[in-house]
C-alpha cells in the first residue's frame, strides 16, 4: 500500500491545484558540465556526470542512490511537491527519502519518511509530481534519491515547488452542482454526470483527490457519502493530517450492486484521524474497470443521509443442518444512514419443502433503529426433505423502500438414523507426510465467542462449543484423523511459571478417549514482556515440559526428540543475547537427556530467510511459521485476495530453504480475516475457498518432496490453524464450507477414497455442546460465586470467582479481564467505577497504572478507545472512578469492556464490583 499511495500522487503531466500560484522552494538543474549540484552518488551508481543540461548515470547494485550533500533547509508544508523530470531504459520503482535531521543511525533517514515513484522504462521524458505530505517534519534539511538496479537514467531537473491554494474549513460537496475542483489522480477518470461525480477506476493507483482542506478531525469524524458502485468489495478513503507525515488509508466495505447506497464511515476507527485534515481522497473500489457515481460527500460531526439498511449477515445459524431438525434462519441488520429506521419489519419466503416451525410464525419487528444500531431477526424453520435453495427475507419500514435479501439454504439428509451414546469410533486415514495443525485454545467462555456473532459463516459444526470438554476434543480428533491430520500443535502459554489457556489440552485432549490416534506438541506462545526470559527460566520450563508432556506416548518427535515450537524467538534473543540463547538451548537439551530423552528438537517461527539464519546461529534445529498473512502486500496494505497468498508462500519457502542452514517445516495458511477481533481496518485476505486451499496444500506437498540442492526437509507440514476463528484462519468444520477444508487435506495428503461419510453430532443424536447463552445485558457486576460474566485470556492465571470477588494473579505486564454481553448507550454513562484490591506477592507496595478499554458496535478495542488511571498496589480495597465521557471514542453502543488492572506481573487482583455510572 505504501508504494501504491505514492503512485497515487505521481502524475506524468504538470498541473496546479485550483489554478493556484506556485513558487519554487528549491531547484537543481544540471546546466553546468561536471556539476552534480551537490547530489553525491554511492558505489552502486556508475558514470554519474552532468552534461548538456542532464545528469546521467547507470546503476549496478541493489541499492543505488544519490544523497544531497549541499546545505538545505526549508519549511515543510502539506502542498509542496517534488517534481522530477526523468527517463530510463528500464522499468522500476524509486524513492525519495527526506528528513528534518541529520542525526541518527542512517544520518536522519528512515523508511518511514519516503515518497515512492515509478519510472516507465521506455526512454521517454516524463515529469513526475509527487506529494510527500511531509508537513509534520516542520522542516526539511536532507534529501536522498534512490533509483533501481540495472538501468541507465537521465535526469533533467529536480524541483521542490509549493502550491498555495486556500484550504477549505469544511468539506461539503454536492456533486450534482459541480466537481468543486476535485482531481483525478493516477489512472482514474473524473467527470460530472447527471447524478453527480463519475469516477472510473482504471488501475490500482486511481484516486479522486479533493481540493486542499483544513478540517477539524477531532470533532468532524464522519466521512459520509452517497455512492453507487458496480463492482468490488471495499472502498478506500485517503487522508493527510498535520500530525503525521504521509498519506493514510482507511478502507470500508461497500455494496457493489449498482444502486445508490449511503455510507457513513466513522473515522474514529482510523487511528491517525486527528488534528487537522489537510487532504482527502477517495478510491471507490478495489476492483479495476469500475465506474462509481458519487452524489455527495461530507465530513461532519454526525452521520448523514436517509435511513440505509445494512445487512451484516443473513444465513442459517447452524452448520450442516439435517432434514427434520429445526434450525434458525437469522439476519443481523443495522442502520447505516443518519436518520433512524422506523417500524422495521421482516417477512420470509421459503422454497418448497421448507416450513416455519409451528409456534414461531410471528414476523419480528423493531420500533426504531438508530444509526449503527444492530438488531437480529430470526425464523425457526425445518426442512422435510433435502433442500438446496434460497430463502428471501423482505425488510420494510415506514421510511424505507422494501429490501429483499437472499439467504442460501442447504439442508442435507441425516447420515445415520441409529443414535450413539458417544462420539463414533474414528476411522483414521493418512499418507506418508505428518500433517500438523495449530490449535488455539481460546474458546472456553461465551465472551470469547461473542465477537463472532456477526460472522455466522464461521459458526462451527459443534456450535459455540465448550472447549475443554473431552467429548468436544474427541469430535476434533475424529474429524482430524479421518482427513489425514496426524498431529495438533497446541498454543501454550508460560511466563516465568505462570500458565493459562490449558483447558483445551489438559481438560480436553488429555482426557479424550481417542487421544492416542492423534499426536501433539506445543507452540510456546512466548510473547512475554521484555526481561521475562532467563537461563534459569529456560531450565524451569524444560523441566515442566519433561514432567507433563514429553514422556507422553502421543507427543510428536523428530529423530526421536520431542518437538517444541517457539512463537517469538526474538524474546529470547533480546533477553539472553544470541550467545545466551545457544547456551540455554544446550542446557535444555542436556536436561532432556538427563531425563532419559534423546534430546530436544527446537523449532523457531520466523518470517524470512534472514531470521532463519539468526535462528540457526542461536541453536534451533528447524524453522517454520505460525502465519505469514501479509506476504505479497505493500506496507500499510490491508486487503487482498487469498488467491495471491499461496504464490507468496512458495517464494518465501524457496528463499528460506535456499539460504537457511537449518531445515524448514513447511507452513501453510488457512486464511486470514481478523475483523471480529480487530475491526474493518485490519488485514483481510478475502475470498478464501477450499479449492484455493487445496492448491496451496498441493504446492506444499510438491515443494516438500522436491530436490533442494541436496537439502532434506522434515517430512512435516504445519497448517495455521484448526480454530483461529477470530483471526479468520480456521479449517475445523463450519457453517460456510462444512468439511471442505478437511476434505482438501484428505485429497492431497492421503490416497483414501474421496467418497466418505462425515458424521456430525446431529447424525448420531449427540450434543448440543454449546456454552450456556449469555445472561441479559448488564451495566453493573457484583461477583457472586457463579458469576462467569468476566474472564481473562491475557496474562492472568488462577482466575475464579470466590467470596463475592473476581480473583486472579497477573502473569505478565499486560494482564486483562474481559466482560461479556454488554449493551450500554454511551450517552447514558459518564464514568466506570471499579472497586478493586491489588496486592504484590513480594509485599512491594507502590503506585502503578491501570487501563480501561471498550468496544462499540462500530469500533473494536484499541488504544485510542481507552482511559488510563492510577492504582495503588497496597492490599487495600479502593474505589476507582474513571471518567470516560471526555473520550470521543466513548460513543454509540458500548458492547464490551476490558480492564487492565495494572502493568506488573505477580500481582494478586481482587475485583469486588464494576459498574457504569450515569
Amino acid at each position: 500500500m505504501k508504494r501504491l499511495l505514492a503512485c497515487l500522487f505521481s502524475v506524468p503531466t504538470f498541473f496546479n491545484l485550483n489554478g493556484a500560484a506556485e513558487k519554487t522552494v528549491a531547484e537543481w538543474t544540471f546546466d553546468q558540465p561536471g556539476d552534480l549540484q551537490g547530489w553525491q552518488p554511492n558505489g552502486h551508481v556508475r558514470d554519474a556526470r552532468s552534461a548538456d543540461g542532464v545528469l546521467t548515470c547507470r546503476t549496478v547494485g541493489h541499492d543505488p542512490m544519490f544523497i544531497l550533500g549541499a546545505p538545505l533547509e526549508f519549511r515543510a508544508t502539506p502542498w509542496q511537491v517534488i517534481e522530477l523530470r526523468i527517463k530510463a531504459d528500464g522499468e522500476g520503482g524509486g524513492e525519495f527519502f527526506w528528513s528534518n535531521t541529520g542525526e541518527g543511525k542512517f544520518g536522519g533517514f528512515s523508511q518511514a519518511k519516503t515518497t515512492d515513484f515509478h519510472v516507465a522504462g521506455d526512454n521517454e521524458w516524463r515529469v513526475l509530481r509527487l506529494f510527500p505530505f511531509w508537513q509534520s517534519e516542520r522542516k526539511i534539511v536532507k534529501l536522498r534519491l534512490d533509483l533501481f538496479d540495472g538501468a541507465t537514467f537521465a535526469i533533467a531537473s529536480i524541483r521542490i515547488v509549493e502550491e498555495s491554494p486556500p484550504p477549505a474549513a469544511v468539506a461539503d460537496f454536492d456533486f450534482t452542482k459541480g466537481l468543486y475542483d476535485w482531481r483525478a489522480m493516477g489512472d482514474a477518470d473524473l467527470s460530472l454526470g447527471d447524478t453527480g461525480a463519475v469516477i472510473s477506476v482504471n488501475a490500482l493507483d486511481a484516486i479522486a483527490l479533493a481540493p486542499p482542506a483544513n478540517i477539524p478531525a477531532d470533532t468532524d469524524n464522519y466521512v459520509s457519502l452517497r455512492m453507487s458502485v458496480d463492482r468490488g468489495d471495499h472502498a478506500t478513503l485517503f487522508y493527510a493530517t498535520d500530525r503525521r507525515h504521509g498519506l493514510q488509508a482507511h478502507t470500508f466495505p461497500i455494496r457493489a450492486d449498482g444502486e445508490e447506497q449511503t455510507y457513513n464511515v466513522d473515522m474514529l476507527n482510523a487511528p491517525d484521524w486527528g488534528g487537522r485534515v489537510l487532504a482527502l481522497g477517495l478510491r471507490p473500489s478495489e476492483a479495476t474497470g469500475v465506474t462509481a457515481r458519487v452524489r455527495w460527500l461530507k465530513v461532519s460531526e454526525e452521520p448523514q443521509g436517509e435511513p440505509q439498511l445494512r445487512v451484516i449477515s443473513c444465513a442459517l445459524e447452524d452448520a450442516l443442518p439435517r432434514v427434520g431438525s429445526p434450525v434458525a434462519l437469522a439476519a443481523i441488520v443495522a442502520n447505516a444512514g443518519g436518520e433512524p429506521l422506523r417500524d422495521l419489519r421482516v417477512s420470509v419466503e421459503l422454497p418448497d419443502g421448507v416450513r416455519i416451525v409451528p409456534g414461531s410464525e410471528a414476523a419480528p419487528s423493531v420500533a426504531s433503529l438508530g444509526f449503527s444500531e444492530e438488531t437480529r431477526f430470526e425464523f425457526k424453520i425445518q426442512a422435510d426433505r433435502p433442500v438446496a435453495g434460497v430463502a428471501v427475507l423482505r425488510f420494510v419500514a415506514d421510511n424505507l423502500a422494501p429490501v429483499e435479501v437472499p439467504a442460501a439454504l442447504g439442508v442435507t439428509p441425516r447420515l445415520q438414523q441409529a443414535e450413539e451414546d458417544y462420539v463414533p469410533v474414528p476411522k483414521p486415514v493418512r499418507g506418508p507426510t505428518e500433517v500438523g495443525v495449530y490449535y488455539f485454545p481460546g474458546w472456553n467462555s461465551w465472551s470469547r465467542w461473542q465477537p463472532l456473532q456477526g460472522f455466522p459463516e464461521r459458526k462451527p459444526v459443534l456450535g459455540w462449543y465448550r472447549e475443554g470438554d473431552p467429548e468436544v476434543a474427541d469430535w476434533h480428533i475424529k474429524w482430524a484423523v479421518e482427513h489425514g491430520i496426524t498431529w495438533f500443535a497446541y498454543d501454550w502459554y508460560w511466563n516465568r511459571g505462570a500458565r493459562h489457556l490449558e483447558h483445551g489440552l489438559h481438560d480436553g485432549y488429555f482426557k479424550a478417549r481417542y487421544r492416542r490416534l492423534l499426536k501433539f506438541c506445543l507452540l510456546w506462545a512466548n510473547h512475554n514482556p521484555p526481561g521475562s526470559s532467563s537461563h534459569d527460566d529456560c531450565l524451569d520450563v524444560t523441566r515442566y515440559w519433561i514432567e507433563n508432556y514429553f514422556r507422553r506416548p502421543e507427543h510428536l518427535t523428530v529423530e526421536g526428540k520431542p518437538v517444541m515450537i517457539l512463537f517469538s524467538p526474538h524474546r529470547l534473543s533480546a533477553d539472553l543475547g544470541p550467545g545466551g540463547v545457544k547456551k540455554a538451548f544446550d542446557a535444555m537439551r542436556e536436561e532432556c537427556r538427563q531425563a532419559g530423552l534423546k534430546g530436544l528438537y527446537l523449532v523457531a517461527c520466523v518470517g524470512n530467510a534472514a531470521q532463519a539464519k539468526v535462528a540457526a546461529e542461536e541453536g534451533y534445529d528447524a524453522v517454520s511459521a505460525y502465519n505469514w498473512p501479509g506476504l505479497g502486500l505493500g506496507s500499510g496494505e490491508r486487503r487482498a485476495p487469498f488467491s495471491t497468498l499461496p504464490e507468496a508462500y512458495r517464494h518465501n519457502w524457496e528463499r528460506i530453504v535456499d539460504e537457511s542452514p537449518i531445515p524448514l517445516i513447511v507452513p501453510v495458511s488457512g486464511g486470514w480475516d481478523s475483523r471480529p477481533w480487530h475491526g474493518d481496518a485490519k488485514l483481510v485476505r478475502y475470498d478464501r475457498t477450499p479449492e484455493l486451499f487445496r492448491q496451496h496444500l498441493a504446492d506444499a506437498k510438491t515443494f516438500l518432496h522436491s530436490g533442494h540442492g541436496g537439502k532434506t526437509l522434515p517430512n512435516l507440514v504445519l497448517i495455521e490453524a484448526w480454530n483461529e476463528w477470530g483471526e479468520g484462519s480456521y479449517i475445523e468444520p463450519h457453517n460456510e464450507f462444512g468439511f471442505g477444508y478437511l476434505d482438501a487435506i484428505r485429497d492431497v495428503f492421503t490416497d483414501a477414497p474421496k467418497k466418505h461419510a462425515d458424521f456430525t453430532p446431529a447424525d448420531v443424536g449427540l450434543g448440543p455442546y454449546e456454552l450456556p447463552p449469555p445472561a441479559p445485558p448488564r451495566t453493573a457486576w457484583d461477583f457472586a460465586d457463579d458469576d462467569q460474566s468476566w474472564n481473562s485470556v491475557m496474562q492472568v492465571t488462577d482466575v475464579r470467582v470466590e467470596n463475592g470477588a473476581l480473583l486472579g494473579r497477573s502473569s505478565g505486564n499486560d494482564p486483562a479481564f474481559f466482560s461479556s454481553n454488554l449493551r450500554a448507550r454511551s450517552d447514558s454513562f459518564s464514568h466506570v467505577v471499579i472497586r478493586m484490591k491489588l496486592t504484590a506477592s513480594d509485599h512491594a507496595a507502590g503506585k502503578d497504572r491501570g487501563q480501561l478499554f471498550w468496544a462499540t458496535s462500530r469500533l473494536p478495542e484499541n488504544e485510542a478507545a481507552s482511559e488510563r488511571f492510577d492504582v495503588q498496589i497496597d492490599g487495600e480495597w479502593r474505589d476507582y472512578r474513571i471518567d470516560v465521557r471526555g473520550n470521543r471514542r466513548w460513543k454509540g453502543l458500548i458492547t464490551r469492556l476490558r480492564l487492565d488492572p495494572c502493568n506488573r506481573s505477580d500481582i494478586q487482583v481482587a475485583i469486588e464490583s464494576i459498574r457504569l455510572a450515569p
Side-chain angles (χ1 to χ4, degrees), residues 437-500:
V437 183
Y438 285 114
Y439 186 105
F440 172 63
W443 311 106
N444 60 336
S445 70
W446 181 262
S447 66
R448 296 299 293 170
W449 289 114
Q450 190 170 352
L452 276 297
Q453 302 309 298
F455 298 82
E457 73 280 0
R458 304 190 188 199
K459 188 172 185 179
V461 166
L462 290 175
W464 309 118
Y465 52 77
R466 52 181 188 268
E467 191 175 55
D469 182 334
E471 193 166 331
V472 167
D474 271 324
W475 277 110
H476 288 168
I477 293 168
K478 174 180 174 62
W479 291 336
V481 301
E482 289 184 343
H483 293 84
I485 295 170
T486 63
W487 55 290
F488 274 0
Y490 283 88
D491 294 3
W492 186 82
Y493 300 82
W494 164 289
N495 182 0
R496 290 165 290 188
R499 307 179 312 280
H500 63 284

Side-chain angles (χ1 to χ4, degrees), residues 54-258:
V54 176
L55 184 158
T56 57
C57 68
R58 60 186 180 91
T59 54
V60 296
H62 69 277
D63 194 20
M65 69 178 71
F66 287 88
I67 297 177
L68 182 63
L72 176 72
E73 182 171 339
F74 60 86
R75 184 175 65 92
T77 71
W79 294 100
Q80 288 166 339
V81 178
I82 303 173
E83 181 189 289
L84 176 66
R85 188 163 187 259
I86 190 171
K87 69 176 180 178
D89 64 0
E91 183 179 8
E95 294 176 293
F96 271 101
F97 285 74
W98 34 266
S99 180
N100 65 358
T101 180
E103 303 298 323
K105 183 177 180 181
F106 299 105
F109 293 124
S110 73
Q111 196 62 49
K113 301 178 182 181
T114 61
T115 302
D116 296 12
F117 59 89
H118 180 264
V119 179
D122 56 5
N123 236 357
E124 297 290 333
W125 284 109
R126 282 177 169 77
V127 176
L128 306 180
R129 290 174 62 86
L130 316 170
F131 283 77
F133 289 110
W134 52 25
Q135 62 280 347
S136 64
E137 287 291 277
R138 307 298 181 188
K139 65 179 179 179
I140 302 298
V141 301
K142 293 197 72 175
L143 288 175
R144 187 178 108 189
L145 170 61
D146 283 28
L147 301 173
F148 50 88
D149 185 22
T152 299
F153 294 87
I155 301 172
S157 63
I158 304 171
R159 300 173 66 218
I160 309 296
V161 298
E162 183 167 353
E163 299 170 345
S164 303
V170 296
D172 188 348
F173 305 103
D174 180 353
F175 292 116
T176 64
K177 299 178 180 178
L179 291 178
Y180 299 92
D181 293 315
W182 280 64
R183 301 276 176 165
M185 308 294 288
D187 198 353
D189 294 319
L190 178 63
S191 61
L192 189 63
D194 294 339
T195 60
V198 180
I199 306 171
S200 297
V201 178
N202 305 317
L204 291 177
D205 64 351
I207 188 173
L209 178 67
N214 187 19
I215 302 166
D218 291 333
T219 57
D220 293 3
N221 57 272
Y222 287 99
V223 178
S224 307
L225 62 154
R226 182 78 174 168
M227 177 176 68
S228 66
V229 186
D230 55 1
R231 282 194 303 111
D233 179 65
H234 66 277
T236 304
L237 289 167
F238 299 95
Y239 61 96
T241 75
D242 61 354
R243 292 186 177 177
R244 183 174 175 183
H245 52 254
L247 194 69
Q248 313 306 315
H250 181 71
T251 62
F252 61 95
I254 57 174
R255 184 176 173 181
D257 58 3

Side-chain angles (χ1 to χ4, degrees), residues 411-699:
V411 183
T412 54
R414 183 173 172 177
L415 297 185
Q416 179 175 322
Q417 297 302 316
E419 295 188 353
E420 302 267 359
D421 59 2
Y422 196 72
V423 181
V425 176
K427 300 176 181 178
V429 299
R430 64 161 301 153
T433 301
E434 299 283 357
V435 180
V437 183
Y438 285 114
Y439 186 105
F440 172 63
W443 311 106
N444 60 336
S445 70
W446 181 262
S447 66
R448 296 299 293 170
W449 289 114
Q450 190 170 352
L452 276 297
Q453 302 309 298
F455 298 82
E457 73 280 0
R458 304 190 188 199
K459 188 172 185 179
V461 166
L462 290 175
W464 309 118
Y465 52 77
R466 52 181 188 268
E467 191 175 55
D469 182 334
E471 193 166 331
V472 167
D474 271 324
W475 277 110
H476 288 168
I477 293 168
K478 174 180 174 62
W479 291 336
V481 301
E482 289 184 343
H483 293 84
I485 295 170
T486 63
W487 55 290
F488 274 0
Y490 283 88
D491 294 3
W492 186 82
Y493 300 82
W494 164 289
N495 182 0
R496 290 165 290 188
R499 307 179 312 280
H500 63 284
L501 292 186
E502 293 181 330
H503 58 275
L505 181 63
H506 286 240
D507 300 332
Y509 174 82
F510 284 167
K511 297 178 181 179
R513 186 178 298 181
Y514 305 130
R515 68 183 181 278
R516 288 181 173 81
L517 300 177
L518 184 76
K519 298 177 185 178
F520 84 99
C521 73
L522 305 182
L523 165 78
W524 181 12
N526 64 322
H527 22 255
N528 297 332
S532 58
S533 302
S534 66
H535 186 93
D536 288 343
D537 187 67
C538 287
L539 290 178
D540 287 344
V541 74
T542 304
R543 294 177 187 121
Y544 189 88
W545 294 337
I546 294 169
E547 184 67 24
N548 292 276
Y549 307 117
F550 288 170
R551 290 193 176 102
R552 290 180 175 269
E554 301 88 8
H555 200 285
L556 179 72
T557 62
V558 171
E559 301 168 357
K561 304 170 187 176
V563 174
M564 177 60 62
I565 308 170
L566 272 72
F567 185 89
S568 300
H570 71 272
R571 177 74 280 128
L572 295 180
S573 303
D575 288 350
L576 303 179
V581 174
K582 193 172 190 308
K583 182 179 178 182
F585 285 175
D586 289 343
M588 293 162 70
R589 292 186 173 101
E590 180 60 26
E591 193 76 26
C592 290
R593 286 190 288 268
Q594 290 293 329
L597 302 170
K598 291 186 178 181
L600 179 60
Y601 194 88
L602 291 164
V603 183
C605 290
V606 300
N608 52 48
Q611 293 176 8
K613 292 178 183 178
V614 172
E617 294 170 359
E618 293 182 339
Y620 289 89
D621 296 283
V623 295
S624 191
Y626 197 68
N627 50 53
W628 296 325
L631 285 184
L633 304 183
S635 175
E637 191 170 359
R638 287 292 175 263
R639 295 186 67 90
F642 180 82
S643 59
T644 63
L645 194 59
E647 181 180 3
Y649 261 69
R650 284 200 307 273
H651 291 162
N652 216 29
W653 296 336
E654 291 167 358
R655 285 192 294 267
I656 290 174
V657 170
D658 287 347
E659 300 179 28
S660 172
I662 54 179
L664 172 72
I665 296 175
V666 178
V668 174
S669 172
W672 188 270
D673 179 354
S674 62
R675 288 176 297 160
W677 281 359
H678 303 131
D680 288 341
K682 294 300 182 179
L683 175 62
V684 175
R685 302 304 292 239
Y686 56 87
D687 289 346
R688 75 171 201 146
T689 66
E691 291 73 27
L692 290 171
F693 182 63
R694 180 181 283 104
Q695 183 57 55
H696 190 22
L697 294 170
D699 291 343

